[in-house]
Amino acid sequence: MEKQTITIYDVAREANVSMATVSRVVNGNPNVKPTTRKKVLEVIDRLDYRPNAVARGLASKKTTTVGVIIPDVTNLYFSSLARGIDDIASMYKYNIILANSDQNDPKEVQVLNTLLAKQVDGIIYMGHKITDELRAEFSRSKTPVVLAGTVDPDEQVGSVNIDYESATEQSVTNLIAAGNERVAFVSGSRMEPINGIYRLNGYKAALEKAHIPFDESLVFEADYSFISGEAIYEKVEEAGATAAFVGDDELAVGLMNGALDRGVQVPEEFEIFTANNSKLTEMVRPKLSTITQPLYDIGAVAMRLLTKLMNKEETDEKTIVLPYNIANRGTTKGE
Amino acid sequence: MEKQTITIYDVAREANVSMATVSRVVNGNPNVKPTTRKKVLEVIDRLDYRPNAVARGLASKKTTTVGVIIPDVTNLYFSSLARGIDDIASMYKYNIILANSDQNDPKEVQVLNTLLAKQVDGIIYMGHKITDELRAEFSRSKTPVVLAGTVDPDEQVGSVNIDYESATEQSVTNLIAAGNERVAFVSGSRMEPINGIYRLNGYKAALEKAHIPFDESLVFEADYSFISGEAIYEKVEEAGATAAFVGDDELAVGLMNGALDRGVQVPEEFEIFTANNSKLTEMVRPKLSTITQPLYDIGAVAMRLLTKLMNKEETDEKTIVLPYNIANRGTTKGE
DNA sequence: CTGTTAGCGCGTTCAC
DNA sequence: GTGAACGCGCTAACAG
C-alpha cells in the first residue's frame, strides 16, 4: 500500500537527468558538471531521498557492515573492546552487527553463517576458544577475520592482543616478591588457550624463576562471573594460598568479596592480582591491582586492521601485540 | 577475480529444477513434492549453497535486522538491556545492528538515518532524552520503533519501562523512614525526563508525604560515571545530606566510594539507594540497596513488542510498564 | 506441484 | 559530462 519509497529514479526524473548521473553525485564521482550536481543535490534534499543500502549492497557487493561475535555484551572486558570496535567502525562508515555467542560452540558456527549470509564485509571475533570447525569456516570464506582480545595458536587470521604470558609472569613474580610462596592461579577453563597455555605458562615461569615447585592444587577453573568467584574463595583458602592471580576482573571481584565477606583482610591477609583492567577494577574497594591492558585500543586496532584487510591494503603484520603495564593498586602489598 | 559465489541458479541447474523451486525449499514453502525437496536439499548441501540475505532483502523488502541505538555498551544498565534484546531477537531470527550514540543529539539523528538506509525492519532506542528532531524522524518513517528503558512523555512509539516515579518515591520514603531528614537526589541531567520529571517527582512526593520541604540545594546532577560520583560526594556532604537516592548504579558506586575513601561509614553515617539493579550493585561492598528493575526483561519485552509491530500483529498496549521491587541491601539501615 | 517472468533499487560499463 | 542498458541474487505473482 503506502510503500511510498522514493528511489533514484524519482530523483532522476525530477532533476531531468538520468539515474546514472544521480548515482554519480550520490557516490561523489567527480565526473559531473557542478551545475547538474547542484541541481541533483537540491532535488535529493527536496524529495528527502535516502539511498537504499540493500540495493547498493547487491549491486556493489559491499555492505559496509561488519559482524562482531561477542561472548556476552554484559561482560565489561568484552564490552570495552566492543566500544573501541564500534568507534573506529563508524569512523570508517561501517556498521556493526553484534551477536552474542555465549561461547557456545554450535551457536558460534551458526552465528558466523548468518553473518556471512548477510554479506558482511568483515568479521571481528571475540571469544575464548576457537574450535576446529570454526577455524575451518574462517579459512573457507574469503571474508577477512580479525580476533580481538582473543588468541588462536594457529595464527591464520588477523589478531590483536597483548603478551598474556609475560604479563602474567610479571604479575605473579610481583606476588612472589611480596612474600607469597603459595600463589593461586584462578582463571576460566584451561581448555582455553589464553588460560591453559599463555597465562599458565607465565605463571609457571614465575614460579620457576623463584624456585617454587608448581603445585597443581593451586590451579582453579571457574566461570567468568563474580558469583563463582565468591564461591571459589573458600577452596583457594583451603589450598593454603595467600595470594591469587586471576584471569578475569569480574571473577577477581568475586574472589575478593569471598575473602572480605569472611573477614579476611585484603591485601594484608590475601593479595589479588587481576588481568584485564576493566573499569570494574577501580570501582571496588580496595581497588584491584591489575595488568593494565588497553582494552579500548585492542578493539580499535582490531577494527582498524580489519578495514585494511577489507580494503586489501598492505598490512605489515596481521598478528598485533600491544603493550601492557602493571598497576599495583589496593589488593597487593608491594610498593 | 575468484568471486566464486554460488547462486540459486547453480543449485537449480544442478538439481534439474527451476530456481523458483529452490527458492521454495529454502523458504520452507510446503508446496514442493518431498522427492524434489530432498533432491534440492542434497544439492544445496553438496554445493554448500548459502542464500544471499542482501538479495533476499532487496526482493522481499525485509532484512530481518533491527537497529539498536545505545548510549554506551560499556554501561551495565544498557548492556543488560541489550542482552535481553539480542536474545529475543535471535530467537525470532533477527540480527542486531548496534550503534553507540554517546547521547549526542546530532549523532543520534545521523545514526538513525544510516539505520533506516540499511532498511532495518525495526528500531529499538535506548537513551536519556529524545529531541524533537529525533521524534520527528521516528514518526516520519514507517519503521516501527520501541523505546527500552527510556521514557518519552510524548507516547507515540512503543516503550517498555517501570514506573520510575513511584519506585523513586518508595525508595526515598524508605530513606526518610530510617531517620534521614536530608536526603540528596543525585542523578544525570534534569533535562532528561526520567530524572527531571519522573524521578524528581517521586522524590518530591516522598518529601511531601513526610512534610519535609523540598530543598533545591540537595539536588545534584552528574554524568553517569563512577568518577563523577566520587567527585560529587564532597558536595553532597557539604549540603548536609545523610543519605542519597541515586539514579544510576555506576554513579552510586562512585558516590559510595567517595564516602568510603573519606572514612565515612556506609550505611552507618551515610545511606545510599540506587536505581537500576545492574550486577554492579552486588559486586561492591557493601552491596547497594536498590530498586530492582528487571533489566534483561525490559530489553526482552521491548524486542518482543517490536516483533509484533514489525509483523503488524495486534498489540494490546504499546506502552508497557513492568513491575519492580525494592531491595534493602547493605547501604541502608532499614530492616 | 513446478516453471516463467517481472521486478527490487542501484552500480557500472560502454557508447555518445 | 551524461545516458541507456544490463546485472547483482532472490522473491513473488501468475500460469500451467
Side-chain angles (χ1 to χ4, degrees), chain B residues 65-80:
Chain B
T65 301
V66 312
V68 176
I69 299 176
I70 190 172
D72 181 9
V73 247
T74 265
N75 179 308
L76 274 172
Y77 172 67
F78 292 114
S79 65
S80 301

Side-chain angles (χ1 to χ4, degrees), chain B residues 40-264:
Chain B
V40 172
L41 285 174
E42 186 272 319
V43 174
I44 286 182
D45 193 62
R46 182 154 55 77
L47 265 47
D48 196 33
Y49 165 69
R50 180 189 292 134
N52 180 322
V54 174
R56 243 216 266 248
L58 221 210
S60 69
K61 292 176 171 305
K62 290 210 190 73
T63 55
T64 61
T65 301
V66 312
V68 176
I69 299 176
I70 190 172
D72 181 9
V73 247
T74 265
N75 179 308
L76 274 172
Y77 172 67
F78 292 114
S79 65
S80 301
L81 297 180
R83 192 60 221 268
I85 293 170
D86 189 48
D87 281 1
I88 302 304
S90 65
M91 181 176 303
Y92 283 86
K93 309 293 182 199
Y94 282 93
N95 283 108
I96 289 304
I97 294 188
L98 207 275
N100 290 90
S101 69
D102 279 319
Q103 34 180 329
N104 169 326
D105 298 347
K107 189 171 177 186
E108 283 187 344
V109 173
Q110 182 227 319
V111 155
L112 175 61
N113 276 310
T114 88
L115 249 26
L116 292 175
K118 296 223 169 171
Q119 312 300 116
V120 294
D121 297 335
I123 289 182
I124 290 195
Y125 175 91
M126 296 179 273
H128 299 291
K129 184 175 190 314
I130 297 183
T131 62
D132 292 337
E133 191 180 354
L134 193 64
R135 192 179 298 117
E137 298 281 352
F138 280 163
S139 50
R140 194 153 61 80
S141 93
K142 309 157 301 301
T143 309
V145 176
V146 172
L147 312 180
T150 301
V151 288
D152 184 21
D154 167 292
E155 304 184 345
Q156 289 312 296
V157 299
S159 68
V160 181
N161 290 284
I162 65 164
D163 183 339
Y164 303 107
E165 182 164 338
S166 73
T168 302
E169 177 179 340
Q170 199 173 331
S171 307
V172 175
T173 295
N174 278 13
L175 250 17
I176 294 175
N180 295 289
E181 302 204 342
R182 292 185 68 73
V183 177
F185 177 87
V186 183
S187 73
S189 166
R190 283 167 70 171
M191 296 305 295
E192 301 165 7
I194 192 172
N195 297 319
I197 301 179
Y198 305 101
R199 285 177 178 147
L200 195 53
N201 279 352
Y203 172 75
K204 287 179 177 170
L207 294 182
E208 195 161 336
K209 278 200 317 186
H211 307 294
I212 297 178
F214 172 68
D215 181 351
E216 185 71 49
S217 71
L218 283 172
V219 177
F220 300 85
E221 297 181 65
D223 311 329
Y224 297 103
S225 80
F226 72 98
I227 299 281
S228 61
E230 290 177 9
I232 217 167
Y233 176 76
E234 184 172 2
K235 295 179 192 164
V236 173
E237 188 183 65
E238 285 170 0
T242 57
F245 169 81
V246 188
D248 177 81
D249 294 347
E250 200 176 311
L251 188 53
V253 167
L255 189 70
M256 176 162 83
N257 288 337
L260 296 177
D261 292 351
R262 290 180 131 65
V264 175

